[in-house]
Amino acid sequence: MNTILKVAGLAALAGLSVQAAAQRDPAYAAAREAKQVGEQPDGYLGVVSGGPAIQALVRDINIKRKAAYTQSAQANGSTVEQFAFTTGCNLVARVPVGEMYKTPSGQWKENTGTPEIDPRCK
């Protein structure tokens, strides 16, 4: 149980720090506002719609996220996948109203108040 709490806490910090760095990028902020990108339960950003520029932006952000997840996972003895999923749970739960996220069933949805969270997140 202690390891789960440690992973969850570190995942929250890693997710927020990676997201905070990405939010300073005007292209990322514009893509979020335009509903071209959204958070996914796996801890990575996804393309909702858009061409090569949006895909490149998402790929760049996800490379940075994976690097942060890898470093944090190694520090606490979890796997990258476990760490990314825990972070994904936190990021989807915090998606601002009006922004996009992927539901547990794999559909893109705009957050209208309370996002649908994967049952494994609880």
Side-chain angles (χ1 to χ4, degrees):
M1 185 68 158
N2 191 19
T3 302
I4 292 171
L5 293 175
K6 186 176 179 182
V7 170
L10 288 172
L13 291 174
L16 294 176
S17 65
V18 171
Q19 188 176 35
Q23 286 175 336
R24 290 189 290 269
D25 182 341
Y28 173 67
R32 285 178 52 182
E33 188 175 312
K35 298 176 180 37
Q36 294 176 305
V37 301
E39 293 296 340
Q40 301 180 124
D42 65 1
Y44 296 96
L45 194 64
V47 176
V48 178
S49 66
I54 296 298
Q55 292 171 3
L57 174 70
V58 168
R59 188 171 41 256
D60 180 59
I61 289 169
N62 284 340
I63 288 168
K64 291 174 184 168
R65 285 186 180 190
K66 186 164 187 175
Y69 298 162
T70 300
Q71 182 178 11
S72 296
Q74 289 172 347
N76 72 29
S78 68
T79 69
V80 174
E81 292 77 17
Q82 289 170 322
F83 200 87
F85 180 79
T86 303
T87 302
C89 291
N90 292 319
L91 291 173
V92 169
R94 292 184 180 102
V95 168
V97 171
E99 293 189 13
M100 303 299 285
Y101 72 96
K102 192 174 270 188
T103 66
S105 64
Q107 302 296 314
W108 286 110
K109 189 172 183 181
E110 182 178 336
N111 184 14
T112 58
T114 304
E116 296 174 42
I117 305 296
D118 189 303
R120 298 173 293 167
C121 292
K122 298 179 181 177

